[in-house]
Amino acid sequence: MPRTRHTAASALITVAALALTACGSGDPATAPAGAAGTAAAAGAVPTADVVSSVHKDEAAAKLLPADVRASGTLAIASSIGNPPSATYLPDGRTAAGTDIDFADAVARKLGLNLKREVASFEAILPALGSGKYDVGTGNFGVTEERRRTIDFVTYINDGQGFAVRDDSRLKDVTDLVQLCGLTVATGAGTTFEVTLAENRHRCSDAGRKPYEVKTYSEQGAIWGSLQQGRSDVVMSTINGLRYAVRQQKGVRFLNEFKRLDVGFAFKKGTPLAPAFQAAVNGLKADGTYDRILKKWGIGASAIRTSQISPPEIK
């Protein structure tokens, strides 16, 4: 969908809400001693280096296709703008987040260089199918619909949740019919958009006014719509919501709705999956995995072991 126009007020909210140019140092060298493995305070993006100490795992690297081992390079598409998954440091150029750290750490395990290109969330999965990129990151949840055309290698568990303004009467949303008559803001091309579309009829079936869904390509626009009263509730990632409500006043995390495994995304039938799986499990074994989660404050998203395209969590 076209990008939403912002007023000056909503632009300010975008900065405050998502800390895309957050207060705090953008230079990892200026991070305080002992910062490694700690989540940043509200308004700051963590800069601790938890990746550069990762060493190549020869056994995992041997699982790569011969042509990839020979070139030593992979093209990766990254969706940026939904922290803590991926955002920018204050310099406005350096990408940071759980997706970025995990991708960089896996590349080190496999002895690869990543050629990263920033792409919109909704464009990445189709581009994998066309062969434009080898791998994509965007906090992609593993669903049955996506598994038909995409292969995944999981590295965290996240999912769907809700947030509202402090003046909302909504409590925990355990059934989407609780949203009947309200306006829900969410991301374009996401599992949230699909879930809302598939269940909207239930309001009419119950004789109630259906909820309205407004989709946006930018997280700042989502939060601007909530703050300005153009929407009543936000549906987004659990980790993203918890991060965002710490960055702004007048909003609160409501509840988790559904958990989903999150993974690196590949074209269906990719030969890269076994190597990536081995690399993620290697990061768990050497402690890097836990350091990344601790850095971003998402310990509850840990998985026991990486899987290749597991069934959707029901």
Side-chain angles (χ1 to χ4, degrees):
M1 62 175 288
R3 291 186 179 275
T4 304
R5 293 182 179 179
H6 301 298
T7 62
S10 67
L12 292 174
I13 290 172
T14 300
V15 174
L18 296 179
L20 297 183
T21 53
C23 300
S25 171
D27 181 359
T30 65
T38 60
V45 178
T47 57
D49 178 5
V50 293
V51 172
S52 64
S53 62
V54 176
H55 299 293
K56 183 177 179 180
D57 181 331
E58 295 292 346
K62 287 181 180 179
L63 297 174
L64 289 167
D67 60 333
V68 175
R69 293 201 306 273
S71 70
T73 302
L74 284 181
I76 183 171
S78 298
S79 172
I80 310 292
N82 188 14
S85 296
T87 186
Y88 287 110
L89 293 182
D91 62 11
R93 301 183 304 275
T94 305
T98 55
D99 286 348
I100 306 303
D101 280 347
F102 274 115
D104 290 349
V106 164
R108 283 180 172 271
K109 276 288 184 190
L110 299 177
L112 297 173
N113 292 315
L114 294 180
K115 182 179 179 182
R116 178 173 282 116
E117 183 175 320
V118 176
S120 64
F121 177 91
E122 60 269 31
I124 292 177
L125 298 185
L128 293 172
S130 70
K132 183 176 182 180
Y133 307 111
D134 299 304
V135 58
T137 59
N139 203 65
F140 290 115
V142 180
T143 67
E144 294 305 320
E145 180 179 1
R146 286 175 174 168
R147 289 201 319 146
R148 297 189 185 103
T149 57
I150 297 293
D151 280 342
F152 294 93
V153 173
T154 61
Y155 55 95
I156 61 169
N157 177 272
D158 194 351
Q160 304 176 343
F162 297 97
V164 293
R165 293 186 304 275
D166 284 343
D167 61 4
S168 174
R169 296 181 180 180
L170 270 180
K171 305 299 181 184
D172 288 358
V173 177
T174 58
D175 192 315
L176 294 181
V177 295
Q178 294 171 255
L179 302 177
C180 295
L182 301 179
T183 299
V184 186
T186 195
T190 62
T191 60
F192 321 114
E193 183 181 11
V194 172
T195 297
L196 290 166
E198 289 178 345
N199 287 276
R200 191 169 182 266
H201 70 90
R202 296 178 57 208
C203 292
S204 300
D205 294 346
R208 301 174 63 182
K209 181 181 177 181
Y211 48 75
E212 180 183 357
V213 180
K214 290 186 176 180
T215 60
Y216 300 90
S217 295
E218 298 173 345
Q219 288 293 309
I222 293 175
W223 291 103
S225 73
L226 182 70
Q227 291 277 25
Q228 295 173 357
R230 290 181 282 109
S231 61
D232 303 298
V233 58
V234 168
M235 187 178 188
S236 190
T237 67
I238 295 167
N239 290 336
L241 291 171
R242 284 182 167 144
Y243 185 96
V245 299
R246 293 197 299 267
Q247 312 301 318
Q248 55 188 318
K249 295 180 180 179
V251 296
R252 56 188 168 89
F253 178 73
L254 204 56
N255 67 289
E256 296 184 7
F257 183 70
K258 178 182 179 180
R259 280 276 174 177
L260 286 173
D261 287 320
V262 170
F264 295 104
F266 305 87
K267 181 180 180 179
K268 192 71 176 177
T270 179
L272 297 171
F276 269 69
Q277 181 189 32
V280 173
N281 287 330
L283 295 175
K284 289 188 67 68
D286 70 16
T288 302
Y289 184 92
D290 288 339
R291 287 191 288 273
I292 294 174
L293 264 58
K294 187 175 182 181
K295 171 184 175 180
W296 295 100
I298 60 167
S301 285
I303 58 174
R304 289 189 176 185
T305 186
S306 177
Q307 300 181 75
I308 298 175
S309 298
E312 178 180 348
I313 297 174
K314 299 296 184 180

